[in-house]
């Protein structure tokens, strides 16, 4: 149990999800790629209007499968958004290629198309954009750049289920997108993910590699006779269990309801914190909507973030630093600098955001934050 009385994040899992799990237990097929997994994939393909959807064990696996299906190889460079959970850069490294870190917009934290343009070179094969903590990136500009240079674009929509960009859902903004259903995202099965592809050939490649390089064992069990499948690829085991798939069918049905509750909390924070000079609130451009996987405020440079965070936690209020400046992580330490990302990494603070927050809790967070901002100014 966390000692936080107002946790930073909290999943919204209840009776409906439990009932769906009970049905899977009774069905006798808890493993992956069974009836629930197929139903989830159909639901995702329809929801996002894509050629194929592949249910996988997590978003990190989906990103790895995307790199494999797109043919990324050692020697290739892939431009990645710097300010994020560092999974995109990891995926590039899984296939032996080189991640090239692109700086982000100061107002949205999403990858800056001008920074991407400046990094395109002879070895660049593609771009992984991130819908940062639920905020869609600039896909009009990114797709135009990719078109002009023959690059692929992958959308890391791990945090963005429910967000929109120019009226289209996050997850359908690039030809390949990856979703996460981790316990700290807006829709969850504990662990889980999906790869969405406009081109069914990409989807089929990812599905095969997600199950050791052979087709669905469930399908084979339904066949009369004894056809023996052959292995043509060194695949992985990245399948999503039918237990998780059943939970996700319910969660997807609840996306709008859960998002509405997070929107309400975000609006209340804006109202309660908007006039405080010691922080900057999230900016949502008019052509997109935020999924509010997290709510990050950018602290004035005079605020001692560590002291503030310790004071909030001591009063039972969960908080964290938000995302990472990937290029500053020891595993990636490089000469390249992304000053905007580094600045957000140093000054951002995530405060409680989830669908279970009550109005009182939001008020308590805002009230305590305002008081502790003043108590935690650096001596200058
Ligand atoms: C959470 C997250 C991931 C990883 O998702 P998993 O499902 O835990 O693998 C990848 N990318 C981003 C941007 C994330 O926030």
């Amino acid at each position: 149990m966390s000692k936080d009385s107002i946790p930073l994040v909290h999943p919204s899992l209840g009776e409906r999800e439990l009932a769906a799990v009970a049905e899977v237990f009774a069905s006798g097929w808890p493993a992956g790629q069974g009836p629930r997994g197929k139903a989830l994939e159909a639901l995702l393909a329809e929801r996002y209007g894509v050629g194929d959807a592949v249910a996988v064990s997590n978003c990190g696996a989906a990103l790895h499968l995307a790199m494999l299906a797109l043919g990324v190889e050692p020697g290739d460079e892939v431009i990645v958004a710097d300010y994020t959970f560092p999974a995109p850069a990891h995926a590039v490294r899984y296939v032996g290629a080189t991640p090239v870190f692109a700086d982000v917009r100061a107002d949205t934290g999403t990858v800056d198309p001008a920074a991407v343009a400046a990094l395109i070179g002879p070895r660049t094969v593609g771009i992984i954009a991130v819908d940062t903590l639920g905020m869609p990136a600039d896909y009009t500009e990114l797709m135009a750049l990719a078109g002009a240079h023959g690059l692929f674009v992958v959308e890391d929509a791990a945090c963005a289920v429910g967000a929109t960009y120019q009226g289209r859902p996050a997850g359908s903004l690039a030809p390949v997108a990856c979703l996460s259903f981790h316990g700290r995202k807006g829709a969850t099965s504990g662990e889980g993910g999906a790869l969405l592809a406009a081109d069914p050939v990409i989807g089929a490649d990812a599905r095969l590699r997600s199950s050791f390089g052979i087709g669905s064992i469930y399908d084979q069990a339904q066949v009369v006779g004894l056809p023996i499948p052959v292995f043509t690829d060194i695949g992985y085991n990245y399948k999503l269990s039918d237990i998780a798939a059943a939970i996700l069918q319910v969660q997807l049905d609840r996306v709008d309801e859960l998002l509405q509750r997070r929107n309400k909390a975000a609006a209340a924070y804006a109202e309660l914190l908007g006039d405080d000079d010691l922080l900057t609130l999230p900016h949502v451009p008019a052509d997109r909507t935020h999924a509010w996987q997290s709510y990050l405020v950018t602290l004035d440079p005079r605020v001692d973030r560590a002291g503030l965070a310790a004071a909030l936690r001591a009063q039972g209020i969960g908080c964290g630093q938000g995302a990472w400046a990937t290029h500053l992580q020891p595993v990636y330490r490089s000469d390249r600098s992304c000053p905007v990302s580094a600045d957000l990494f140093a000054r951002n603070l995530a405060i409680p955001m989830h669908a279970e927050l009550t109005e009182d809790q939001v008020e308590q967070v805002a009230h305590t934050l305002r008081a502790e901002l003043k108590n935690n100014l650096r001596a200058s």
Side-chain angles (χ1 to χ4, degrees), residues 58-61 63 84-85 87-88 130 156 158-159 180-182 185 191-192:
N58 57 70
C59 183
L63 287 162
T84 177
F85 186 84
V130 175
D156 182 342
C159 297
S180 173
F181 302 119
H182 181 266
K185 314 293 190 189
E191 298 278 354

Side-chain angles (χ1 to χ4, degrees), residues 294-305:
S294 295
Y295 192 93
L296 263 59
V297 296
T298 305
L299 304 175
D300 185 279
R302 286 170 289 168
V303 177
D304 168 13
R305 182 174 65 171

